[in-house]
Amino acid sequence: MSVSKSNERLIQWTFALCGAVSIFVTLGIFAVLFWETFHFFQEVPLGAFLFGTKWTPLFVQKQFGILPLISGTLLIALIAMIIALPLGISIAIFLREYASSHLRRTLKPILEILAGIPTIVYGYFALLTVTPFLQKVIPELAGFNALSPGIVMGIMILPLSVSLSDDAIHAVPEHLRMGAYALGAKRLEVVFRVVLPAAMSGIVSAGILSISRAIGETMLVTIAAGMRPLLTLNPLGPVQTITAYIVQVSLGDTPTGTLEYSSIFAVATVLFLCTFFLNTIAQRLRQSFQHMYA
Amino acid sequence: MKQITLDIRSLHVYYDSFHAVNNVSMTILEHTITSIIGPSGCGKSSFLRVMNRMNDLVPHARIMGEVLFRGANIYAKDMCEIELRRRIGMVFQKPNPFPFSIFDNVAFGLRIQKKHNKTFLRERVEESLRRAALWDEVYDRLHQSALELSGGQQQRLCIARALAIYPDILLMDEPCASLDPKATKRIEELLEKLKEEITIVIVTHNMQQARRISDYVAFFHTGELVEWGTSEDIFDHPQKQLTKEYTQGLFG
């Protein structure tokens, strides 16, 4: 009796410990991130960091204006969204509203294969296949550019965007569709005038989560976008994203404790705050959406 | 003598091999309320969904027999189910307003018919809400979300939405099942008034309700039409023992 009771307690503590590990690791990451960022801002003024237009931490003339990295990150994320969102929503509509259940069961796993491809493969695909192909169409396209990894990233996050849009469309109750059909609506009208508007907050949430995924993506942009932190919205030339910069410094021979070294923590904090903010909004939207049809 | 609106002849409905409606023949007369009663799973909802071809949307549903709407077979090749559903409206068991404003809900059926004239829409929305006895409760908040209404109000909104496109027949699938007695009473009063303009076929579980509002009653059991006739026939002088037992509440 008492043996089984103490066993019970042992098991309980083991599980609690496992849970605690994940919390402590997260807190540890936060602590390092914020500590190094704090160091960085003791030497670089916040204003110069947030509003500076030159990012040259590895040059003799060091400048720490993050705007070029932000513009590079957003430019590629934007291109990815232009591909992933319309395509993702259309595929989700097709799978949910038009495809037979047999076709849906066949297509979905195929789509999910896309999610299983390592991102480095996407990187080489962008650099060695998509860029040369695009250069035939747009001769002025640079070898490293924002356009090609942007497009490939759009394809890469397509499974996510499809699956989240699909969830949103699936969550629209069947009786709303029936209500529209009973009023003499055609299938296209049911989809565009009832299902999509009713799923809108879920779809917006899907879009935000996809953006969040896009700005955090690293390997693809490191390989194919070039390493030039330029403040530009020109998709044809090279750019550098926040993540690619972190890779560049981490792989280089930058000594720890230097300003360049702590700069990667500062930009990582910016990245973290952005994705945290986006994920929170998306979460809120999802909850309000689920609440609506509860 | 009232006109026959729907003439159902030897109707069968199958879902795969399940025989949901078995050889039903009956008629629905204009400007009357016909109640379909019977225990759960007796095929009454299936029967209802045949009449505006909502059963087309159910996978594996198969229909045999004829349904004549004013003499025309609704399952004929040249019959357009979209057009048919605009003439034969439907109200569902669970109120299903769209997550739009009250106004947009009522205007939905008109807008998909490409009727966008603002004055026309405003007038028709008001008229429909009045016909559904909802106008006085919502006239000052037409642009608020329909989901904020109470269950009974939502159901009357769905009736208004159906009435807005001037159907000849309104099919109602247990419209009061999720409503409290007060909201139910309002809907019943509404139906009494509406039958002067349109024909109503209502599926109900509630024997008292069927008795209160119906001109005609059809009693279904295991997919078969056991008996149908006037409300007095069915409730006071049933021909079949089964009908008698069911209407007296001996099984359900």
Side-chain angles (χ1 to χ4, degrees), chain A residues 175-176 178 181-182 184 193 293, chain B residues 82 85-86 94 96 99-100:
Chain A
H175 63 242
L176 291 188
M178 289 301 138
Y181 278 119
R193 286 166 175 266
Y293 299 118
Chain B
I82 304 294
R85 289 180 196 142
R86 291 175 181 172
K94 191 167 174 256
N96 59 352
F100 316 147

Side-chain angles (χ1 to χ4, degrees), chain B residues 110 115-125 164 166:
Chain B
L110 299 163
K115 292 173 181 162
H116 292 292
N117 182 300
K118 283 207 170 112
T119 324
F120 168 77
L121 284 180
R122 233 187 348 254
E123 285 171 6
R124 186 68 75 84
V125 167
Y166 286 176

Side-chain angles (χ1 to χ4, degrees), chain A residues 127-164:
Chain A
L127 182 65
L128 302 176
T129 309
V130 178
T131 299
F133 172 77
L134 287 174
Q135 279 172 327
K136 286 189 190 138
V137 189
I138 316 167
E140 63 269 35
L141 188 71
F144 292 105
N145 59 72
L147 184 62
S148 165
I151 292 172
V152 174
M153 189 189 285
I155 295 166
M156 190 177 89
I157 58 180
L158 197 55
L160 178 75
S161 136
V162 171
S163 132
L164 292 174

Side-chain angles (χ1 to χ4, degrees), chain B residues 204-215:
Chain B
T204 178
H205 249 113
N206 183 331
M207 220 75 64
Q208 284 77 34
Q209 178 171 65
R211 186 170 205 144
R212 279 192 299 266
I213 62 174
S214 327
D215 301 299

